[in-house]
Amino acid sequence: MLTLTCPVCGVTAEETEFHGGGEAHLKRFGPGATDDDLEGYLFMRENPRGVHFERWRHAYGCGKWFHAARCTTTLQVFGTYPAQTFEPPKEICDKISEARPGWSWRAFK
Amino acid sequence: MSEPITALAGAASETGIARIMELSLQGMITLRGDLASSAVQKAATGAAEVEMPGTNQANCVEDRGICWMSPDELLILCPYDMVAANIDKMTETLGNAHALAVNVSDARAAFRITGTQAREVLAKLCPVDLSLENFAPGMFRRTRMAQVPAAFWMTDAESFQLVCFRSQARYVFDLLSIAAQPGSGVNAYLT
Protein backbone atom coordinates (compact mmCIF):
# COMPACT_ATOMS: atom_id res chain seq x y z
CA MET A 1 0.00 0.00 0.00
CA LEU A 2 1.18 3.48 -0.85
CA THR A 3 1.58 5.63 2.26
CA LEU A 4 1.95 9.36 1.70
CA THR A 5 2.62 12.27 4.03
CA CYS A 6 0.87 15.49 3.12
CA PRO A 7 3.47 18.27 3.31
CA VAL A 8 0.73 20.83 3.94
CA CYS A 9 -0.94 19.42 7.05
CA GLY A 10 1.66 16.79 7.96
CA VAL A 11 -0.84 13.92 8.09
CA THR A 12 0.45 10.50 7.04
CA ALA A 13 -2.20 8.28 5.52
CA GLU A 14 -2.58 5.57 2.97
CA GLU A 15 -3.46 6.35 -0.61
CA THR A 16 -7.26 6.12 -0.29
CA GLU A 17 -7.31 9.36 1.69
CA PHE A 18 -5.60 11.07 -1.27
CA HIS A 19 -6.40 11.43 -4.93
CA GLY A 20 -3.80 11.06 -7.64
CA GLY A 21 -3.50 14.01 -10.01
CA GLY A 22 -1.23 12.59 -12.71
CA GLU A 23 2.25 13.50 -13.72
CA ALA A 24 4.06 16.36 -12.00
CA HIS A 25 5.97 19.32 -13.41
CA LEU A 26 4.14 19.57 -16.73
CA LYS A 27 4.70 22.81 -18.56
CA ARG A 28 1.58 24.17 -20.15
CA PHE A 29 1.59 25.05 -23.84
CA GLY A 30 -1.48 27.00 -24.84
CA PRO A 31 -2.49 29.40 -27.63
CA GLY A 32 0.42 30.36 -29.85
CA ALA A 33 2.42 27.21 -29.11
CA THR A 34 3.64 24.95 -31.86
CA ASP A 35 1.65 21.84 -32.67
CA ASP A 36 4.45 19.64 -31.34
CA ASP A 37 4.56 21.46 -27.99
CA LEU A 38 0.78 21.32 -27.63
CA GLU A 39 0.73 17.63 -28.50
CA GLY A 40 3.46 16.93 -25.94
CA TYR A 41 1.65 18.90 -23.27
CA LEU A 42 -1.68 17.20 -23.93
CA PHE A 43 -0.70 13.62 -24.58
CA MET A 44 2.91 12.73 -23.87
CA ARG A 45 3.34 11.27 -20.39
CA GLU A 46 6.07 9.40 -18.62
CA ASN A 47 5.25 5.82 -17.73
CA PRO A 48 8.39 4.76 -15.88
CA ARG A 49 9.25 1.59 -14.09
CA GLY A 50 10.94 3.09 -11.06
CA VAL A 51 11.32 6.73 -10.06
CA HIS A 52 8.27 8.84 -10.81
CA PHE A 53 7.01 12.30 -9.90
CA GLU A 54 3.31 12.82 -9.38
CA ARG A 55 0.77 15.34 -8.21
CA TRP A 56 -1.52 14.27 -5.39
CA ARG A 57 -4.36 15.93 -3.56
CA HIS A 58 -5.21 15.33 0.09
CA ALA A 59 -8.83 14.93 -0.96
CA TYR A 60 -10.35 13.68 2.30
CA GLY A 61 -8.10 15.79 4.52
CA CYS A 62 -6.91 19.36 4.13
CA GLY A 63 -7.83 19.38 0.44
CA LYS A 64 -4.49 20.74 -0.76
CA TRP A 65 -2.39 19.66 -3.74
CA PHE A 66 1.21 18.55 -3.34
CA HIS A 67 3.96 16.68 -5.19
CA ALA A 68 5.24 13.22 -4.45
CA ALA A 69 8.37 11.41 -5.64
CA ARG A 70 8.00 7.67 -5.48
CA CYS A 71 9.00 4.38 -7.05
CA THR A 72 6.31 2.76 -9.18
CA THR A 73 7.60 -0.76 -8.60
CA THR A 74 8.21 -0.80 -4.85
CA LEU A 75 5.85 2.01 -3.80
CA GLN A 76 8.75 3.51 -1.85
CA VAL A 77 8.04 7.19 -1.33
CA PHE A 78 11.19 9.28 -1.58
CA GLY A 79 9.42 12.34 -0.32
CA THR A 80 6.56 14.77 -0.74
CA TYR A 81 6.97 18.48 -1.33
CA PRO A 82 4.78 21.56 -1.87
CA ALA A 83 2.88 22.10 -5.10
CA GLN A 84 4.28 25.59 -5.57
CA THR A 85 7.45 24.59 -7.38
CA PHE A 86 8.59 23.78 -10.92
CA GLU A 87 11.13 21.14 -9.95
CA PRO A 88 11.76 18.68 -7.11
CA PRO A 89 13.82 20.08 -4.23
CA LYS A 90 17.47 19.06 -4.00
CA GLU A 91 17.08 16.99 -0.82
CA ILE A 92 14.50 14.80 -2.52
CA CYS A 93 16.71 14.31 -5.59
CA ASP A 94 19.58 13.42 -3.24
CA LYS A 95 17.42 10.88 -1.47
CA ILE A 96 16.45 9.31 -4.80
CA SER A 97 20.12 9.22 -5.91
CA GLU A 98 20.96 7.37 -2.73
CA ALA A 99 18.27 4.73 -3.29
CA ARG A 100 18.38 4.57 -7.13
CA PRO A 101 21.83 5.67 -8.35
CA GLY A 102 21.82 6.90 -11.92
CA TRP A 103 18.10 7.62 -12.05
CA SER A 104 16.66 10.14 -14.45
CA TRP A 105 13.17 11.40 -15.13
CA ARG A 106 12.53 13.81 -18.00
CA ALA A 107 15.07 16.61 -17.44
CA PHE A 108 15.74 15.72 -13.80
CA LYS A 109 18.49 13.46 -12.56
CA MET B 1 -40.49 29.44 9.90
CA SER B 2 -40.20 25.67 10.03
CA GLU B 3 -38.66 24.12 13.09
CA PRO B 4 -35.05 22.98 12.61
CA ILE B 5 -34.45 19.27 13.26
CA THR B 6 -31.41 17.05 12.98
CA ALA B 7 -31.02 14.59 10.12
CA LEU B 8 -31.89 11.47 12.14
CA ALA B 9 -33.96 13.01 14.96
CA GLY B 10 -31.45 11.99 17.61
CA ALA B 11 -30.93 8.38 16.58
CA ALA B 12 -28.93 6.26 19.02
CA SER B 13 -27.43 2.81 19.12
CA GLU B 14 -26.91 1.53 22.65
CA THR B 15 -26.38 -2.18 22.32
CA GLY B 16 -22.97 -2.40 20.69
CA ILE B 17 -19.37 -2.21 21.90
CA ALA B 18 -19.62 1.58 21.81
CA ARG B 19 -22.54 3.91 22.20
CA ILE B 20 -23.41 5.87 19.04
CA MET B 21 -25.70 8.86 19.23
CA GLU B 22 -26.62 11.66 16.93
CA LEU B 23 -26.06 15.00 18.62
CA SER B 24 -28.66 17.70 18.84
CA LEU B 25 -28.38 20.73 16.57
CA GLN B 26 -24.86 22.10 16.64
CA GLY B 27 -23.96 25.52 15.31
CA MET B 28 -21.08 25.33 12.83
CA ILE B 29 -19.40 28.15 10.95
CA THR B 30 -16.78 27.66 8.28
CA LEU B 31 -14.17 30.39 8.42
CA ARG B 32 -11.75 30.58 5.53
CA GLY B 33 -8.89 33.00 5.25
CA ASP B 34 -5.27 33.49 6.18
CA LEU B 35 -5.08 31.83 9.61
CA ALA B 36 -1.98 33.85 10.46
CA SER B 37 -3.86 37.15 10.16
CA SER B 38 -4.95 38.68 13.43
CA ALA B 39 -8.40 39.63 12.06
CA VAL B 40 -9.16 35.99 11.23
CA GLN B 41 -7.83 34.79 14.57
CA LYS B 42 -9.86 37.40 16.45
CA ALA B 43 -13.01 36.52 14.51
CA ALA B 44 -12.55 32.85 15.39
CA THR B 45 -11.70 33.25 19.05
CA GLY B 46 -14.36 35.94 19.49
CA ALA B 47 -17.13 33.67 18.23
CA ALA B 48 -16.04 30.43 19.88
CA GLU B 49 -14.62 31.96 23.06
CA VAL B 50 -11.71 29.50 23.09
CA GLU B 51 -8.06 29.80 22.13
CA MET B 52 -6.84 29.15 18.57
CA PRO B 53 -5.90 25.49 18.06
CA GLY B 54 -2.63 24.41 16.45
CA THR B 55 -2.28 22.49 13.19
CA ASN B 56 -4.43 19.33 13.21
CA GLN B 57 -5.84 20.27 16.60
CA ALA B 58 -9.27 21.06 17.95
CA ASN B 59 -9.97 23.25 20.94
CA CYS B 60 -13.48 22.51 22.15
CA VAL B 61 -15.39 23.25 25.34
CA GLU B 62 -18.92 21.84 25.49
CA ASP B 63 -20.69 23.11 22.36
CA ARG B 64 -18.13 25.79 21.56
CA GLY B 65 -14.82 25.27 19.86
CA ILE B 66 -12.41 25.85 17.01
CA CYS B 67 -11.24 23.00 14.78
CA TRP B 68 -8.29 23.27 12.40
CA MET B 69 -9.58 22.05 9.03
CA SER B 70 -6.79 23.05 6.65
CA PRO B 71 -4.11 25.77 6.40
CA ASP B 72 -6.79 28.26 5.38
CA GLU B 73 -9.94 26.92 7.02
CA LEU B 74 -11.35 26.67 10.53
CA LEU B 75 -14.57 25.12 11.75
CA ILE B 76 -16.11 27.23 14.48
CA LEU B 77 -18.53 25.47 16.83
CA CYS B 78 -21.07 27.46 18.80
CA PRO B 79 -24.62 27.03 20.09
CA TYR B 80 -27.08 26.59 17.19
CA ASP B 81 -29.11 29.69 17.97
CA MET B 82 -26.00 31.87 18.25
CA VAL B 83 -24.79 31.27 14.68
CA ALA B 84 -26.40 34.28 12.98
CA ALA B 85 -25.24 36.66 15.71
CA ASN B 86 -21.75 35.19 15.65
CA ILE B 87 -21.45 35.52 11.88
CA ASP B 88 -22.46 39.18 12.11
CA LYS B 89 -19.85 39.67 14.82
CA MET B 90 -17.21 37.83 12.81
CA THR B 91 -17.94 39.75 9.61
CA GLU B 92 -17.47 42.95 11.56
CA THR B 93 -14.20 41.73 13.10
CA LEU B 94 -12.92 40.55 9.72
CA GLY B 95 -13.48 43.98 8.19
CA ASN B 96 -11.58 44.18 4.92
CA ALA B 97 -9.60 40.96 5.47
CA HIS B 98 -9.87 38.52 2.57
CA ALA B 99 -11.94 35.93 4.43
CA LEU B 100 -15.26 34.12 4.43
CA ALA B 101 -17.51 33.13 7.31
CA VAL B 102 -20.52 31.01 6.40
CA ASN B 103 -23.16 29.09 8.31
CA VAL B 104 -22.86 25.35 7.66
CA SER B 105 -24.87 24.14 10.68
CA ASP B 106 -27.63 22.63 8.57
CA ALA B 107 -25.19 21.13 6.05
CA ARG B 108 -23.68 18.81 8.63
CA ALA B 109 -24.63 16.04 11.01
CA ALA B 110 -22.79 15.39 14.27
CA PHE B 111 -22.36 12.14 16.18
CA ARG B 112 -20.83 11.04 19.45
CA ILE B 113 -19.14 7.65 19.85
CA THR B 114 -18.54 6.73 23.46
CA GLY B 115 -17.12 3.71 25.21
CA THR B 116 -13.88 1.94 26.00
CA GLN B 117 -13.90 0.53 22.46
CA ALA B 118 -14.87 3.75 20.67
CA ARG B 119 -11.36 3.85 19.15
CA GLU B 120 -11.90 0.47 17.57
CA VAL B 121 -15.20 1.42 16.01
CA LEU B 122 -13.56 4.34 14.19
CA ALA B 123 -10.39 2.40 13.42
CA LYS B 124 -12.49 -0.13 11.52
CA LEU B 125 -13.79 2.62 9.25
CA CYS B 126 -11.00 5.16 8.81
CA PRO B 127 -7.40 4.87 7.52
CA VAL B 128 -6.13 6.52 10.69
CA ASP B 129 -3.75 5.27 13.37
CA LEU B 130 -6.02 5.52 16.40
CA SER B 131 -3.64 3.93 18.90
CA LEU B 132 -3.47 5.59 22.30
CA GLU B 133 -0.10 7.19 21.63
CA ASN B 134 -1.02 8.54 18.19
CA PHE B 135 -4.49 9.92 18.71
CA ALA B 136 -5.40 11.76 21.89
CA PRO B 137 -7.92 14.34 23.06
CA GLY B 138 -7.15 17.70 21.48
CA MET B 139 -6.23 16.26 18.10
CA PHE B 140 -8.46 16.73 15.08
CA ARG B 141 -8.56 14.61 11.96
CA ARG B 142 -10.36 14.97 8.65
CA THR B 143 -10.41 11.69 6.83
CA ARG B 144 -12.34 9.14 4.85
CA MET B 145 -14.90 7.00 6.64
CA ALA B 146 -15.67 4.01 4.42
CA GLN B 147 -16.98 5.86 1.36
CA VAL B 148 -17.58 9.36 2.71
CA PRO B 149 -15.56 12.23 4.18
CA ALA B 150 -15.76 12.78 7.93
CA ALA B 151 -13.90 14.65 10.64
CA PHE B 152 -13.52 13.76 14.29
CA TRP B 153 -11.84 14.67 17.52
CA MET B 154 -11.84 13.32 21.05
CA THR B 155 -13.73 15.09 23.80
CA ASP B 156 -12.28 12.81 26.49
CA ALA B 157 -10.30 9.58 26.66
CA GLU B 158 -13.30 7.45 25.64
CA SER B 159 -15.44 9.75 23.51
CA PHE B 160 -15.22 10.92 19.94
CA GLN B 161 -17.24 13.63 18.32
CA LEU B 162 -17.69 13.26 14.58
CA VAL B 163 -19.08 15.52 11.88
CA CYS B 164 -20.11 14.52 8.37
CA PHE B 165 -22.32 15.86 5.62
CA ARG B 166 -25.97 15.88 6.60
CA SER B 167 -27.05 14.06 3.44
CA GLN B 168 -24.80 11.18 4.52
CA ALA B 169 -26.01 11.06 8.12
CA ARG B 170 -27.98 7.82 7.73
CA TYR B 171 -25.08 6.11 5.98
CA VAL B 172 -22.63 7.24 8.67
CA PHE B 173 -24.93 6.22 11.50
CA ASP B 174 -25.43 2.78 9.97
CA LEU B 175 -21.70 2.40 9.41
CA LEU B 176 -20.93 3.26 13.01
CA SER B 177 -23.68 1.03 14.43
CA ILE B 178 -22.57 -1.92 12.34
CA ALA B 179 -18.90 -1.37 13.22
CA ALA B 180 -20.01 -1.34 16.86
CA GLN B 181 -22.30 -4.36 16.76
CA PRO B 182 -22.17 -6.58 19.87
CA GLY B 183 -19.33 -9.07 19.96
CA SER B 184 -17.33 -7.31 17.25
CA GLY B 185 -14.56 -6.03 19.51
CA VAL B 186 -11.00 -6.60 18.31
CA ASN B 187 -9.46 -5.36 21.56
CA ALA B 188 -6.57 -3.83 19.65
CA TYR B 189 -6.32 -0.71 21.76
CA LEU B 190 -7.17 -1.92 25.26
CA THR B 191 -4.45 -1.07 27.74
Side-chain angles (χ1 to χ4, degrees):
Chain A
M1 182 166 280
L2 183 60
T3 309
L4 296 168
T5 301
C6 172
V8 182
C9 65
V11 161
T12 299
E14 44 98 353
E15 65 192 86
T16 62
E17 199 176 300
F18 301 90
H19 188 83
E23 190 177 318
H25 307 302
L26 292 177
K27 183 171 187 292
R28 181 173 183 272
F29 288 94
T34 65
D35 285 356
D36 282 350
D37 281 345
L38 182 65
E39 185 205 17
Y41 164 63
L42 287 178
F43 303 116
M44 299 308 176
R45 293 293 180 270
E46 291 296 302
N47 184 20
R49 194 173 66 183
V51 177
H52 196 27
F53 293 85
E54 288 171 323
R55 300 167 74 231
W56 284 84
R57 180 173 174 257
H58 195 184
Y60 285 97
C62 67
K64 302 300 177 201
W65 285 95
F66 61 92
H67 284 129
R70 68 171 181 111
C71 174
T72 57
T73 50
T74 63
L75 300 192
Q76 177 182 356
V77 177
F78 303 112
T80 53
Y81 50 101
Q84 292 74 20
T85 175
F86 294 110
E87 55 184 51
K90 188 166 178 303
E91 63 265 24
I92 290 196
C93 291
D94 289 348
K95 215 177 274 179
I96 302 174
S97 299
E98 210 174 283
R100 304 279 189 281
W103 68 279
S104 74
W105 187 88
R106 290 206 186 241
F108 308 129
K109 51 181 171 255
Chain B
M1 187 73 189
S2 48
E3 191 186 334
I5 56 167
T6 63
L8 304 177
S13 158
E14 311 272 355
T15 53
I17 58 172
R19 191 160 168 260
I20 320 290
M21 53 184 279
E22 193 205 17
L23 296 177
S24 55
L25 293 164
Q26 166 73 58
M28 295 185 221
I29 302 166
T30 285
L31 176 62
R32 296 201 79 148
D34 177 4
L35 301 192
S37 96
S38 64
V40 170
Q41 291 189 2
K42 268 188 210 144
T45 52
E49 294 166 24
V50 297
E51 295 284 302
M52 277 286 285
T55 301
N56 293 320
Q57 306 271 311
N59 209 351
C60 300
V61 183
E62 290 159 9
D63 56 357
R64 294 176 292 112
I66 306 180
C67 307
W68 189 96
M69 296 286 275
S70 85
D72 55 5
E73 181 177 347
L74 296 172
L75 179 65
I76 314 290
L77 306 176
C78 66
Y80 185 83
D81 51 10
M82 296 280 289
V83 169
N86 273 333
I87 288 183
D88 288 346
K89 199 166 83 179
M90 288 164 77
T91 311
E92 200 174 301
T93 314
L94 288 168
N96 291 327
H98 182 63
L100 170 80
V102 66
N103 180 2
V104 294
S105 313
D106 298 317
R108 304 271 169 84
F111 295 91
R112 174 164 295 144
I113 304 112
T114 318
T116 49
Q117 287 172 302
R119 280 175 189 276
E120 290 199 0
V121 172
L122 277 177
K124 288 180 193 179
L125 301 167
C126 304
V128 178
D129 183 355
L130 284 160
S131 56
L132 288 159
E133 56 272 29
N134 286 310
F135 203 86
M139 294 172 71
F140 182 83
R141 178 70 189 249
R142 286 173 85 179
T143 186
R144 173 184 65 88
M145 198 171 159
Q147 298 183 44
V148 296
F152 56 77
W153 64 98
M154 293 183 88
T155 47
D156 62 58
E158 290 182 357
S159 305
F160 286 86
Q161 195 157 324
L162 181 143
V163 291
C164 66
F165 291 119
R166 181 182 174 115
S167 58
Q168 296 162 346
R170 169 51 64 183
Y171 175 80
V172 166
F173 180 77
D174 288 350
L175 270 184
L176 289 166
S177 327
I178 292 168
Q181 63 188 323
S184 69
V186 185
N187 299 334
Y189 299 132
L190 292 184
T191 42

